[in-house]
Amino acid sequence: MTAAARPTDPAGPVGPTPADRADRSSAELIRAEEPVLAHNYHPLPVVVARAEGVWVEDVEGRRYLDMLAGYSALNFGHRHPALVEAAHRQLDRLTLTSRAFHNDRLAAFAEGLAGLTGLDMVLPMNTGAEAVESAIKVARKWAYEVKGVPDGQATIVVAGGNFHGRTTTIVSFSDDPVARDGFGPFTPGFRSVPYNDLAALEAALDETTAAVLIEPIQGEAGVLIPDDGYLAGVRELTRRAGCLFVADEIQSGLGRTGRTLAVEHESVLPDLVLLGKALGGGIVPVSAVVGRRDVLGVLRPGEHGSTFGGNPLAAAVGSAVVALLETGEYQRRAAELGAVLESGLAALAGKGVTAHRVRGLWAGVDVDPAIGTGRAVSERLLREGVLVKDTHGSTIRLAPPLTITRDELEWALAALEKVLTGTEG
Ligand SMILES: *Cc1c(COP(=O)(O)O)cnc(C)c1O
């Protein structure tokens, strides 16, 4: 794999013309951020100025293969032509109405998304965290109105190691001290059980349980894939307990794992599915709760809303995303290239990789701590022209756009091998 040549970059200039370039160098721009930008991120030292497909270019014109894809918000690559065209067309016509009025894009978006997921109804929101918050509200309301839980008593069962977003309610049930400490008081009503443990889940369910909320694969935790049978088990336990199964597919959904939804690997249909990230095509924030009519139907006018949720620009881009996924091409690519990713990482076992987990074009790679932290490995990969992001400790996550070619993927794996074996050029 060491011999892989750097794949050909897209021909010609892409994106902004040189006249649009920042008038400061990467180093100057990084320094300029420090006093004026809140320090809630610690980005790798690269300043991206334009991008196309799987390639991004920095201020100085250096090119990098994007193996993070905006945490799966860029499943179709940067500026996919069909998505950019849909956005342009909509920008020229209508961008925002608020839900005080109907808009002529929303029906098609909701029909498309319901059809794609096999569910009935759509609640459009903007960010992933809003979809999670919305699902929590819907589940609680459903528990009181349909299940008959006494008012104020509903519980939602979540899994240890979860990541569902950053709001005060969501960090209330996180067990990551960095995400949580200093932000209390927290929202009550959540119970946490170990992930991938059906017995613990079963023991946590009772007559107060409104829902079980889990990620079908835990992304931020390091792409943790549960044992076969876990998702089907969650479906069966929630059915028996008379509570909802809410699957957070914000990162795992929309083609990433080789299926439209990760729950399809176990032929499971949750009551509510949360989508975000790739739903906005890497152009606008678009999220949604998609669910059964008897569940989402508990919401009545005025009980929940969003100024931007379901706006016509979001709906136009979201519909174009649905159309791409309806072809099945992206799911197929993720499955086929996922096998290449899997065998490439397997070949690095003992060469610096201590464990790896792959589902579709999504991998968590545990690096021998003796080689360096995930951050250090990410910085060395950056110098090799590959963008990745560490999660915890010595784990890096790979999630390239689903449009990546086999050559490009093999080139990235070769770069990883060089970094792990200390043979960088
Ligand atoms: C990213 C993510 C969220 C939060 O999405 P935001 O758009 O950042 O609010 C929620 N759940 C999962 C699984 C995610 O990966």
Side-chain angles (χ1 to χ4, degrees):
M1 195 198 297
T2 39
R6 185 177 177 115
T8 319
D9 295 348
V14 293
T17 62
D20 296 330
R21 270 182 193 282
D23 56 3
R24 289 180 277 183
S25 69
S26 289
E28 286 167 331
L29 288 166
I30 290 171
R31 270 199 304 278
E33 286 183 357
E34 203 276 336
V36 290
L37 202 58
H39 297 174
N40 57 325
Y41 279 94
H42 179 33
L44 290 171
V46 56
V47 183
V48 176
R50 52 183 174 175
E52 178 165 292
V54 299
W55 293 94
V56 306
E57 194 177 302
D58 73 7
V59 170
E60 283 76 23
R62 289 178 291 253
R63 294 203 147 214
Y64 305 84
L65 183 61
D66 185 354
M67 291 289 289
L68 177 67
Y71 302 92
S72 290
L74 291 155
N75 279 3
F76 312 98
H78 294 266
R79 300 171 48 250
H80 187 288
L83 303 180
V84 168
E85 200 202 322
H88 275 154
R89 272 204 314 267
Q90 194 58 39
L91 275 174
D92 287 339
R93 199 152 70 69
L94 175 72
T95 55
L96 187 66
T97 54
S98 85
R99 296 288 303 277
F101 315 112
H102 298 271
N103 75 65
D104 68 349
R105 288 292 177 214
L106 197 44
F109 174 51
E111 285 164 352
L113 200 53
L116 187 73
T117 53
L119 286 157
D120 306 321
M121 258 188 173
V122 173
L123 170 62
M125 299 296 288
N126 309 284
T127 65
E130 283 178 304
V132 174
E133 288 275 352
S134 303
I136 290 166
K137 288 174 71 177
V138 167
R140 285 176 167 182
K141 198 147 208 305
W142 175 88
Y144 301 130
E145 290 191 357
V146 179
K147 181 166 171 169
V149 173
D151 194 40
Q153 311 269 299
T155 54
I156 292 176
V157 179
V158 299
N162 68 72
F163 180 85
H164 295 287
R166 301 297 199 162
T167 65
T168 38
T169 285
I170 293 171
V171 300
S172 296
F173 55 88
S174 166
D175 51 21
D176 176 357
V178 177
R180 190 184 146 89
D181 287 359
F183 298 119
F186 298 111
T187 307
F190 298 95
R191 255 179 225 170
S192 187
V193 297
Y195 189 61
N196 194 26
D197 183 339
L198 288 171
L201 178 62
E202 185 169 22
L205 303 178
D206 62 25
E207 64 288 347
T208 69
T209 313
V212 173
L213 166 64
I214 56 156
E215 299 154 85
I217 292 175
Q218 288 191 328
E220 300 300 311
V223 191
L224 299 188
I225 303 169
D227 295 339
D228 287 345
Y230 178 67
L231 300 173
V234 173
R235 177 68 283 183
E236 182 52 30
L237 290 177
T238 49
R239 186 178 287 126
R240 265 195 258 149
C243 69
L244 304 175
F245 177 8
V246 183
D248 181 346
E249 293 254 14
I250 290 165
Q251 197 166 159
S252 59
L254 305 180
R256 173 57 54 193
T257 68
R259 302 287 180 90
T260 302
L261 299 177
V263 288
E264 289 172 34
H265 289 280
E266 294 196 22
S267 306
V268 160
L269 191 59
D271 304 296
L272 297 176
V273 172
L274 314 184
L275 297 172
K277 292 200 165 99
L279 192 56
I283 299 176
V284 279
V286 186
S287 70
V289 181
V290 190
R292 294 210 327 251
R293 185 167 289 108
D294 61 308
V295 181
L296 269 180
V298 300
L299 289 181
R300 285 176 291 271
E303 292 175 347
H304 189 60
S306 161
T307 304
F308 288 92
N311 73 74
L313 180 60
V317 172
S319 290
V321 165
V322 169
L324 292 182
L325 287 165
E326 280 170 348
T327 67
E329 182 192 332
Y330 299 89
Q331 298 89 324
R332 200 155 47 240
R333 291 185 68 84
E336 286 170 11
L337 292 170
V340 175
L341 182 57
E342 163 65 45
S343 63
L345 291 172
L348 295 178
K351 285 185 177 174
V353 170
T354 56
H356 68 282
R357 301 163 292 279
V358 182
R359 175 89 16 118
L361 272 173
W362 200 17
V365 184
D366 298 342
V367 172
D368 182 350
I371 292 174
T373 59
R375 172 80 188 192
V377 170
S378 302
E379 287 178 353
R380 287 166 62 191
L381 275 167
L382 173 69
R383 291 195 284 274
E384 293 299 301
V386 176
L387 300 185
V388 302
K389 182 73 176 72
D390 51 306
T391 54
H392 295 111
S394 290
T395 300
I396 58 171
R397 150 187 31 202
L398 306 178
L402 310 181
T403 53
I404 194 170
T405 64
R406 187 182 173 127
D407 280 355
E408 288 163 339
L409 184 60
E410 287 179 343
W411 181 77
L413 285 162
L416 179 61
E417 178 171 4
K418 279 195 236 167
V419 163
L420 295 177
T421 55
T423 56
E424 290 112 308

